[in-house]
Amino acid sequence: MPRYQPARIEPKWQSWWQAHDTFATPRLPSGRKRYVLDMFPYPSGDGLHVGHPEGYTATDIVARFERMRGTSVMHPMGFDAFGLPAEEHAIRTGTPPRESTARNIETFRRQLKMLGFSYDWGRELATTDPGYVRWTQWIFLVLFDTWFDPTTGRGRAIAELPIPPEVSAAGEAEVARHRDAHRLAYQSEAPVNWCPALGTVLANEEVIGGVSERGGHPVVRIPLRQWMLRITAYADRLEQELEGVDWPASIKKLQSDWIGRSTGAEVDFFIAPPGAHGAAFADWSAARRGGGFPQRPGHDVIRVYTTRPDTLYGVTYLVVAPEHPLVDALTTAGQREAIAAYREAAARKSDLDRTDLAKEKTGVFTGAHCIHPLTGAPVPVWVADYVLATYGTGAIMAVPAHDERDWEFARTFGLDVITVVEPTGGHGHSGTLFTGDGRAIHSGPYDGLDTRTFIARVGADLAATGLGRPAVNYKLRDWLFSRQRFWGEPFPILHELGPDGQPTGAIRALDEGELPVRLPELTDYRPGDTPDPPLARASDEWLVVERDGRRYRRETNTMPQWAGSCWYYLRFLDPNNSDRFVAADVERAWMPVDLYIGGAEHAVLHLLYARFWHKVLYDRGHVSCPEPFGRLVNQGMILGEMEFTGYRSEKGGWVSAEQRAEADTPARVRADQVEKQGEHFVLRDSPRTRVESRAYKMSKSRGNVVNPDQVVRDFGADSLRLYEMFMGPLEATKPWSTTGVSGVRGFLDRCWRLVVDERAEDPVLAPQVVDDQPTDDQLRELHRTAHKVTADIESLSFNTAIARMMEFVNVFTPLDRRPRAVLEPFVTILAPFAPHLAEELWEVLGRPAPVSLAAWPAVDERWLRDDVVEVPVQVNGKLRGRVTVPADADTAALEAAAAADPRVAELLAGKQVVKVVAVPGRMVNFVIR
RNA sequence: GCCGGAGUGGCGAAAUGGCAGACGCGACGGACUCAAAAUCCGUUGCCCGCAAGGGCGUGUGGGUUCAAGUCCCACCUCCGGCACCA
C-alpha cells in the first residue's frame, strides 16, 4: 500500500487545507508583505490548459516560500468571465451566457484546486459578479467625471474644468457639451467594421481581405457612435513612468513603441482658389503673420503633420487620407468620379488590409493645388490610403526624396522628386532616396544647416509667421471602449429623450447608489439588421427610465472584456466591501503588486489599460501609488511534444524535407524511425531522406493538446507542478515531454522512499530514518541545498532549484542511516514545489501539520565554506591537471602546488614560464614558451 | 522591412570571463528476479587509442584576453511580435 500514491494524498491535503483555512490572508499584513499575483484566466469551455499551471505554479512556489519565511502573503485567484466565446455559445445553443460561464468557472475552480495552489479562495471573484460589475461601472463614472488638466498633467474632477466665458454665456446646454467634450470617457463617431450579412460589428482581426473571416461576407467601415477613453492624455506618463517599474526591458520597449511618441511640426498649406491664387495667398500669409497659427485649421488650409520639417523645401505634393473632411471640397469636377470610386474602395478595406497591400501604392489626384507656405509654389493634392485618417492630421506633405513611402508613391505616379538633404561628408545624388539626417541644400535661407538645427530653427520660424507650430503625436489612439455585444458590463449612462421619443443628445450618469446596472434578461442574443447592440432589444422596462420627470433611454453598448481585468488586482484586496471598491487602508497596506506573472500576449494592451485606469484612480485620490505592478514576468509558451515530419510525393515515396514540393504531403514519423545525421534528422531506413523536427504550438486541430486532468490522473498534481518548473527557464518557450513528466515523477518517488517504508502496510517511517547526529558532510549537503533553493526561488530559477533537490536525494538515497535532522528540513524545502507530498512526508515524520506553514530552514554560512578545494591547472589555457589545496590558499601557495603536480611539472620542464595567472580558489594557468 | 528572443550531447537543459555539458530523459551495462516490471548501482559529447593518454567540441567567420558558451564586430538559421504612424 504505501507506494507514493498522489491520487490518495493530494485530495487528502487539499481538503485539509480547505478545512483549516490554511491560506486565508488577514485583512492587513503584519510585518513584511508580498502581493503575488497571477493574470487571472478567461474560463473557456475547454477548461484549463497546461499553459495556465506554468505561471500559477511559479507564483504558488513564491507565495508558499514567502509564507514559510513569515511574510504576509496576498495570493488570490479569480475569473475574467465576460467575453465573446460565451456569447457566441449562447447564440448557437440558446444557453444564457451567465449559465455557461458559471459552469466553466466551476470547472476551472475544480482544476485549480486539484493542482494544490495556495490561493485564499475566500477572495475569489469573477468580473461578471454583480458586486464586481457595480464597481467596474463606478470606475467608469470616475473616468466620466474626470478631465485631464494639461497644465498639471493630472486628471481632475470635471467640476473643476474651467468654462470659457463665451461657453457659459451660451447657456447650460453648451456648458454641458463643453464638459462632455473634455471627459476622459466621451462619445465619438468612430468607424467600425460592420458586416450587414452577419448583422454584427467585427473586430479588425475578424476581417480578412475586406470580407468577414466567417462566411466571407462583405464588410464596410461605417461611423458609429462609440464610447472612447482618453488614454492619449496619459500617453506621456504611461511612457515615462515605465522607468520606475521592474519589468523586462523588452516589455517596456513594447509598451513604449506602442505609445509611439514622435515630435515634429504641424504646417498649414493654403488651398489655392482656382484662378488667380497669388493675391489670395499673399493676403492669407499676411493674416497669419498677424493672427498667428489657429488652434484648429480652417477650411482654407490643409494641415499636415511631419517629423521632418527640415524637408519642407522638398515637398512636391500633398496627400490626404480618403476619409479626410476636405476631400469633397478639394475635388474638382473632372476628378469627382475617380475620387468617389477610390474612397468607396478604401471604405471597404479594413485598416489591416490597407497595410497588407503595402507593396502597391494607390491614389487619385483631386485636381486641387495648395500653396507651399515658404516658396509660394503650387503643390498638387492627392488622395491615397497610405495616409491614415486617424493619425496626426490625416494629411501629409510628401517629400519623395527623403521618405520611402512618398518615394514609392511618386515613382508610381511620376511625381517630382526634389533633393533637399545630402548626407554629411558626401554628396547625395539628386533624385535618389535618402532618409537619414544630413545637411540641407536647395532650402533657401536654411542651406547648409544640419538636420537637427534646421528642425529647431524652422519650427521657431513657422511659429513666428503663423504658418506652423511644433507638435507631438502618438501612435497610441484613444481607446474604443464600447462593444455592440451582450455579454459585458452595461454602461451606467442614460440618454435623454425628447418629447418625440428621440434622443436629445444630452446624457447623464447614474448615481453611485443606482449601481450596478444589471444586464437585462434576453431570450435572443442574435445580432440584428442594424448595428444596434442586442441590449437595444431589451424590454422598455429595462431600457427606459425616468429621473426628475424626464425620460431616458439606457446606453445599450457594453464595455469590452478589458474593463474587468483593469482593476481586479485591487478588488482582490477587499472583495466583499460594499461601501468602496477597496478600503483605503487595505489598498495602502498591500499595493503595489510585488510579483505579477502571466503570458506575454498581455504585454501591451492589458498592462497599458490597467496602468491607465490606475493612474486616473491615483489622480483622483482613490489609490495610493501611481503604478500598480512592481515586478512583472512573462512565462514562456509550452509547445506540444516534439514531432518528426516526413514528406511523401504523390506516388507515395519519401521526399527529403529540403526538396519537398507543394504537392507533397506531410506525414508524422515516430521518433524511433529517425536518427540524427550531421545537422539534420533522417529516416533510419532511408538515410538520404531528411525529416523536419520541431515542436508546434498546442492546438485542437493539430491534436497535440495536453490535458492537465489527464496528467494529474497519470502522474499526480505534484508531478505536473514540478515538471512544468523543471522543463527549463520560466520565460522560455519549451516543448512538452511526457517522458520528462515521468522523470520528475521518479524523483518524487525517490523522495517518498527516502522517508517512507515502501514495504510496510501503512505509511510508516523507513527503517533507514534514524535520530543520528548528522555528519558534517550531511549538514553541508543540507545547507547548500537550502541556500541554493532559497536563491533560486528569489530569482525564479525553479529548474535549477529542483536539480539541486535531486542532488540532495541522490546523496541520501544510498545511505542506510538517514538522520531525521536532515530529512525534516529537506521536506520543508520541498514543500513549496510539491506541497501534497511534503505534507504527507511531514506527517509520516510525526510533525504537526501543516508543513505549508512550517519555518523555512535557516542557512548556516559555516556549511557553505569548503576546507579544501580542487582547482584546475592549465598550461597555455589547456586543462592539464588538478590540485587539491586549502580553500584559503593564496596565489603563491596555489602556484607552488600546481607546479608540483607531476604532469604539470613534466610539461613545464625545459620551458620558459612567461606568466602565471593564479586565481585563489578558482584556477591556475601557466603561460609557457 | 523593423523590433525582440534563441541557437550548447540523441532530447529538455546547466554554467559571477576561470574544469563546458550540473540535473533530468533516453540509451547501454550490471545487481535483484524463474522471468519481466519496479528498484538499486555504474557508463554515456564526438574522434583516435588495448591502455596511459591525445585531438576536436557551445550556429558560422573574425577579434579582445593568460583564459570566451559568456565580451566586441560581421553573418546564417529558427521562433515571437509589429508592420505605410509621416
Side-chain angles (χ1 to χ4, degrees), chain A residues 354-538:
Chain A
R354 278 205 200 177
T355 56
D356 245 15
L357 305 169
K359 309 118 209 168
E360 278 300 306
K361 295 246 181 315
T362 60
V364 181
F365 179 45
T366 60
H369 288 79
C370 281
I371 309 297
H372 191 290
L374 300 184
T375 68
V379 180
V381 181
W382 287 64
V383 171
D385 67 4
Y386 83 90
V387 171
L388 305 176
T390 47
Y391 182 78
T393 59
I396 60 147
M397 55 178 228
V399 186
H402 306 291
D403 181 280
E404 204 172 323
R405 297 147 299 182
D406 298 342
W407 167 257
E408 283 169 20
F409 189 81
R411 299 225 320 172
T412 306
F413 292 100
L415 297 162
D416 292 345
V417 177
I418 302 176
T419 298
V420 292
V421 185
E422 60 177 21
T424 28
H427 26 217
H429 295 280
S430 219
T432 60
L433 176 66
F434 169 63
T435 58
D437 285 6
R439 203 159 44 85
I441 54 170
H442 307 314
S443 295
Y446 301 97
D447 276 354
L449 292 182
D450 69 88
T451 300
R452 294 300 127 191
T453 313
F454 193 151
I455 289 175
R457 193 165 305 169
V458 76
D461 293 350
L462 287 170
T465 50
L467 299 172
R469 66 174 169 200
V472 175
N473 264 299
Y474 302 92
K475 284 195 206 178
L476 182 69
R477 308 295 154 86
D478 273 347
W479 175 10
L480 198 161
F481 192 67
S482 44
R483 298 290 182 272
Q484 295 70 45
R485 295 286 183 176
F486 172 75
W487 193 227
E489 298 88 346
F491 284 79
I493 292 287
L494 303 177
H495 297 269
E496 189 183 75
L497 297 176
D500 56 352
Q502 292 304 304
T504 62
I507 53 174
R508 85 179 252 172
L510 288 172
D511 292 336
E512 273 186 53
E514 299 177 275
L515 304 182
V517 181
R518 290 165 190 265
L519 284 165
E521 298 290 325
L522 289 189
T523 48
D524 182 6
Y525 307 95
R526 263 177 311 185
D529 301 333
T530 62
D532 274 344
L535 295 192
R537 296 199 303 274

Side-chain angles (χ1 to χ4, degrees), chain A residues 562-794:
Chain A
W562 304 110
S565 58
C566 270
W567 74 284
Y568 72 111
Y569 57 92
L570 290 169
R571 190 63 179 172
F572 275 142
L573 302 178
D574 201 5
N576 301 313
N577 194 328
S578 50
D579 298 327
R580 253 181 81 76
F581 73 117
V582 55
D585 58 333
V586 171
E587 188 276 331
R588 250 195 326 275
W590 287 106
M591 283 298 286
V593 173
D594 297 287
L595 176 64
Y596 193 26
I597 296 187
E601 66 273 20
H602 295 122
V604 177
L605 295 183
H606 159 63
L607 291 169
L608 198 65
Y609 292 155
R611 292 177 62 223
F612 165 51
W613 279 34
H614 197 85
K615 285 181 191 303
V616 176
L617 291 171
Y618 175 71
D619 286 355
R620 296 301 306 275
H622 297 301
V623 296
S624 62
C625 54
E627 283 288 337
F629 311 121
R631 182 176 182 196
L632 172 78
V633 174
N634 291 121
Q635 89 248 18
M637 204 192 326
I638 296 182
L639 304 174
E641 295 233 16
M642 171 92 109
E643 295 177 24
F644 296 99
T645 311
Y647 292 89
R648 287 183 184 279
S649 67
E650 280 167 295
K651 293 186 195 114
W654 289 107
V655 180
S656 196
E658 82 281 11
Q659 295 169 351
R660 78 188 182 98
E662 202 61 32
D664 300 333
T665 51
R668 270 299 281 276
V669 181
R670 285 205 322 273
D672 59 3
Q673 295 172 320
V674 301
E675 61 190 3
K676 186 123 185 192
Q677 197 179 77
E679 297 274 277
H680 306 277
F681 281 91
V682 298
L683 285 178
R684 187 157 288 188
D685 297 338
S686 159
R688 275 212 286 276
T689 308
R690 277 192 207 165
V691 296
E692 284 174 359
S693 74
R694 69 169 274 213
Y696 297 86
K697 211 166 150 169
M698 287 189 193
S699 70
K700 270 194 226 163
S701 58
R702 214 178 170 87
N704 60 350
V705 176
V706 177
N707 177 331
D709 283 320
Q710 190 61 45
V711 179
V712 169
R713 223 169 296 144
D714 294 345
F715 299 97
D718 282 336
S719 291
L720 174 61
R721 292 169 57 112
L722 209 67
Y723 172 64
E724 293 210 4
M725 294 301 97
F726 187 61
M727 290 172 86
L730 183 62
E731 300 183 65
T733 301
K734 24 194 191 282
W736 185 265
S737 153
T738 302
T739 55
V741 189
S742 79
V744 155
R745 167 63 193 263
F747 164 67
L748 294 180
D749 280 318
R750 284 194 293 281
C751 290
W752 176 263
R753 286 192 294 270
L754 204 56
V755 174
V756 182
D757 183 355
E758 204 176 22
R759 281 163 307 189
E761 286 297 313
D762 302 307
V764 293
L765 273 185
Q768 293 92 334
V769 179
V770 293
D771 288 329
D772 288 3
Q773 193 63 30
T775 67
D776 284 2
D777 279 346
Q778 289 170 346
L779 286 170
R780 208 167 272 134
E781 184 63 22
L782 171 70
H783 284 264
R784 283 172 192 217
T785 302
H787 177 71
K788 175 72 174 154
V789 173
T790 302
D792 282 350
I793 292 177
E794 282 168 349

Side-chain angles (χ1 to χ4, degrees), chain A residues 1 35 101 158 176 183 236 320 356 390 433 448 490 502 506 584 648 670 690 728 755 839 871 881 928:
Chain A
M1 134 83 156
Y35 186 176
T101 301
I158 200 75
R183 297 176 189 277
D236 273 339
V320 298
D356 245 15
T390 47
L433 176 66
Q502 292 304 304
R648 287 183 184 279
R670 285 205 322 273
R690 277 192 207 165
V755 174
E839 291 284 8
V871 300
I928 62 172

